[in-house]
């Protein structure tokens, strides 16, 4: 499983996790989005925590 972060506005981050499955109807990858407020380093740590929790 992979994931990345994206800054939505200063101090607010979107954490996007690629689940790895492909939707049979659309052919697109499934993703889970999470909101996070804090620093970039904290968002990266939260992304890592979510990835390990979902695997």
């Amino acid at each position: 499983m992979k994931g990345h972060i994206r800054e939505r506005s200063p101090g607010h981050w979107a954490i996007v996790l690629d689940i790895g499955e492909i939707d049979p109807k659309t052919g697109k990858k499934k993703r889970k989005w999470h909101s996070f407020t804090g620093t970039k380093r904290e968002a990266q740590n939260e992304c890592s925590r979510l990835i390990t929790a979902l695997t």
Side-chain angles (χ1 to χ4, degrees):
M1 181 180 304
K2 295 183 181 181
H4 64 276
I5 60 171
R6 169 191 277 180
E7 189 170 24
R8 304 295 286 176
S9 63
H12 297 276
W13 301 87
I15 300 173
V16 184
L17 302 177
D18 295 323
I19 303 303
E21 300 173 8
I22 297 178
D23 187 8
K25 293 180 183 176
T26 62
K28 295 182 180 181
K29 292 180 183 178
K30 288 188 178 182
R31 294 182 170 166
K32 287 195 175 199
W33 289 71
H34 298 272
S35 297
F36 185 80
T37 303
T39 64
K40 183 176 183 178
R41 176 79 48 144
E42 292 170 342
Q44 290 170 338
N45 290 338
E46 182 67 10
C47 182
S48 298
R49 188 190 68 75
L50 289 170
I51 290 172
T52 55
L54 291 175
T55 52

